[in-house]
Amino acid sequence: MKWLAALAVLLGWLSPSMTDALNHGVSFSNSEIRIILSHGPSWPPNLAPDPSNRVSGDPAAIALGRQLFADPRLSRGHNRSCATCHEPNRAFTDGLARSIGIARLDRNAPSLFNLRLNRWFGWAGKSDNLWAQSLHPIVDRRELGASADLVAERIAADSALATAYQNVFGSQATTDPPETVLVNVAKALAAFQETLTSGKTPFDHFRDALAAGDRDALARYPLGAQRGLRLFIGKGQCRFCHFGPNFTNGEFHDIGMPYFIDKDRVDPGRYGGIKAVKSSRFNLLGPYNDDESRSTAGPTRHVALLHRNWGEFRIPSLRNVALTAPYMHDGSLATLADVVRHYSELNEDRLHAEGERLLRALRLTPGEIDDLVMFLRSLSVVGHGIQ
Ligand code: HEC
Ligand code: HEC
């Protein structure tokens, strides 16, 4: 019977009242059900290796990357690592509004789950690939403050590390040009980070139950989350930006967050990101892309700088969002309720003149705010957060 109900739901044969009977909860219309199913297919996705990184998916590279991720030798002062700001037990964030390395950064540290699904990296999309994004913090003087020379030296100085490097890349850290060593280290870090997939969430179980017409499983999804889901895909318009299985369309928007970093400094957002990605020699059009056909470089080749990119930031994935407070590019919103209130009370004058028609002050009731928060929480894995 289950497969018949599933087929019926998929083909849109069931009327809303019948799905209500199946569900014992909120009555979703057939078009709502189609939208809910579009936040699938069933999670987690199958991910192919990254063609721009020849060690993507290679177990030895993953092991080396895992070690280097927490290795303070990648920092000038031997006192910081990637894990300082991306703590594994905090869903790879640091819990701060804005991260602190050698100096305070301008932005909030994002989580590192499901990175294979990104087209752009960082809040402004300053990188078009994961190894370039992993290279920048090593050499940024506010983050780890090292250099290509220093990294090559430190790898060569440890015989176990030098051997692991040679096993993965087939060349030696002592004879490779320092910049090649730096890029290779970043490629191992990328290979490791790609393995961080977030697990199945209560929402995923609900979605799969809807696809399968499994009424017992549907009933396990809290009613508040169901009402929040309806707001998310309906009145809230959230799903137009927080789209598909990873709850992001991967692009950039202005949602009226302030972009002053302090009194006299402004974060240019995507405007700065496009300039940076276009001019980087570590981009997919550059010499370090291992994919000679440049098959994934189209967006980098075609992205154009527009005035509207000023103050736009990347639409974040909402998977595991309950584990990654505080929120937004500057960490200025402490809780998910604050985020929902931001959308509810949105100051429309703050948005670009050319206007993002999707965004209007939603004027939600306190009950609706609770429901939307409950839905957002249901996008997170209960417990440790890693699959
Ligand atoms: C001092 C804190 C700090 C350190 C150290 C640090 N990061 Fe980050 N990381 C950040 C911040 C802040 C951002 C957001 C940057 C931006 O948008 O400009 C970020 C962004 C990223 C992203 C982009 C994620 C996404 O969703 O696009 C990746 C990947 C990443 N870091 C990996 C690393 C790796 C690998 C290391 C070590 C080599 C590292 N980070 C070291 C703070 C840090
Ligand atoms: C027009 C596109 C758009 C729409 C519509 C939209 N968002 Fe967002 N959302 C964004 C962008 C862009 C950011 C990051 C903004 C920033 O950091 O300045 C964001 C950030 C968030 C965050 C913070 C995530 C984090 O990791 O910091 C949450 C939660 C969120 N949105 C939920 C929602 C909900 C709920 C709705 C519907 C009420 C919604 N969004 C509607 C584009 C959108």
Side-chain angles (χ1 to χ4, degrees):
M1 261 320 278
K2 265 188 191 171
W3 66 268
L4 192 61
L7 194 67
V9 171
L10 279 171
L11 298 180
W13 291 344
L14 285 182
S15 71
S17 60
M18 286 167 81
T19 54
D20 190 24
L22 265 178
N23 186 359
H24 294 298
V26 172
S27 151
F28 289 106
S29 70
N30 289 333
S31 74
E32 284 174 323
I33 290 172
R34 266 192 296 276
I35 296 169
I36 296 168
L37 295 183
S38 77
H39 291 286
S42 192
W43 188 266
N46 286 325
L47 299 169
D50 174 359
S52 77
N53 177 359
R54 68 194 182 289
V55 301
S56 172
D58 169 16
I62 294 168
L64 177 61
R66 178 179 289 115
Q67 180 190 343
L68 291 172
F69 190 82
D71 194 329
R73 284 173 296 183
L74 291 187
S75 68
R76 172 168 296 277
H78 289 274
N79 52 358
R80 289 180 186 83
S81 71
C82 311
T84 306
C85 303
H86 302 286
E87 295 175 42
N89 58 5
R90 285 181 189 258
F92 295 91
T93 63
D94 56 14
L96 302 173
R98 283 160 47 190
S99 293
I100 300 174
I102 294 170
R104 189 166 183 227
L105 306 187
D106 297 338
R107 299 194 185 132
N108 176 261
S111 170
L112 301 179
F113 290 112
N114 313 317
L115 291 169
R116 261 312 271 136
L117 299 176
N118 283 21
R119 181 181 308 125
W120 307 106
F121 296 83
W123 285 103
K126 142 175 140 175
S127 304
D128 61 2
N129 70 78
L130 183 52
W131 41 272
Q133 178 66 44
S134 305
L135 184 155
H136 294 305
I138 302 175
V139 295
D140 189 316
R141 61 190 163 71
R142 299 164 308 165
E143 296 187 59
L144 301 181
S147 64
D149 287 332
L150 202 67
V151 168
E153 217 172 87
R154 300 241 174 111
I155 303 272
D158 175 333
S159 65
L161 211 49
T163 307
Y165 177 97
Q166 187 174 2
N167 287 343
V168 173
F169 297 105
S171 58
Q172 293 188 21
T174 40
T175 49
D176 278 346
E179 190 169 277
T180 302
V181 178
L182 179 66
V183 171
N184 283 344
V185 160
K187 284 180 176 167
L189 286 167
F192 161 61
Q193 293 169 89
E194 282 167 6
T195 66
L196 305 172
T197 306
S198 64
K200 228 177 161 96
T201 67
F203 167 78
D204 295 318
H205 289 294
F206 179 74
R207 185 212 160 271
D208 291 353
L210 210 50
D214 177 346
R215 64 171 88 179
D216 293 339
L218 286 174
R220 282 197 285 275
Y221 193 52
L223 213 55
Q226 298 193 29
R227 290 191 300 259
L229 168 58
R230 162 168 278 166
L231 287 166
F232 188 86
I233 62 172
K235 172 177 165 186
Q237 310 255 56
C238 317
R239 60 125 182 161
F240 287 103
C241 295
H242 299 285
F243 173 85
N246 202 26
F247 293 87
T248 170
N249 67 14
E251 290 297 331
F252 302 81
H253 269 285
D254 170 16
I255 58 161
M257 293 304 295
Y259 42 80
F260 273 94
I261 298 165
D262 43 42
K263 252 194 351 293
D264 41 27
R265 256 177 354 117
V266 157
D267 188 331
R270 183 59 175 149
Y271 194 85
I274 292 178
K275 287 217 277 203
V277 77
K278 284 275 198 192
S279 62
S280 170
R281 71 181 178 292
F282 304 110
N283 71 19
L284 292 174
L285 300 170
Y288 293 106
N289 183 350
D290 295 328
D291 172 16
E292 275 170 28
S293 70
R294 302 284 184 266
S295 63
T296 53
T300 313
R301 193 173 287 118
H302 299 300
V303 69
L305 196 62
L306 301 171
H307 184 68
R308 62 161 292 174
N309 299 128
W310 191 267
E312 285 184 340
F313 292 91
R314 199 181 76 208
I315 300 166
S317 165
L318 300 179
R319 284 197 175 269
N320 267 352
V321 75
L323 309 178
T324 62
Y327 301 105
M328 303 300 178
H329 71 273
D330 56 358
S332 60
L333 298 181
T335 66
L336 287 174
D338 292 335
V339 172
V340 172
R341 275 193 290 270
H342 167 80
Y343 288 107
S344 183
E345 294 158 14
L346 195 73
N347 179 351
E348 291 168 27
D349 297 340
R350 259 201 142 122
L351 300 175
H352 284 145
E354 7 184 347
E356 185 41 77
R357 291 292 129 222
L358 286 170
L359 287 167
R360 301 235 181 275
L362 295 171
R363 310 263 173 250
L364 302 170
T365 65
E368 287 174 320
I369 291 177
D370 288 348
D371 288 344
L372 210 36
V373 168
M374 199 152 172
F375 166 69
L376 290 171
R377 290 192 165 282
S378 80
L379 301 177
S380 302
V381 178
V382 188
H384 52 68
I386 308 181
Q387 203 196 23

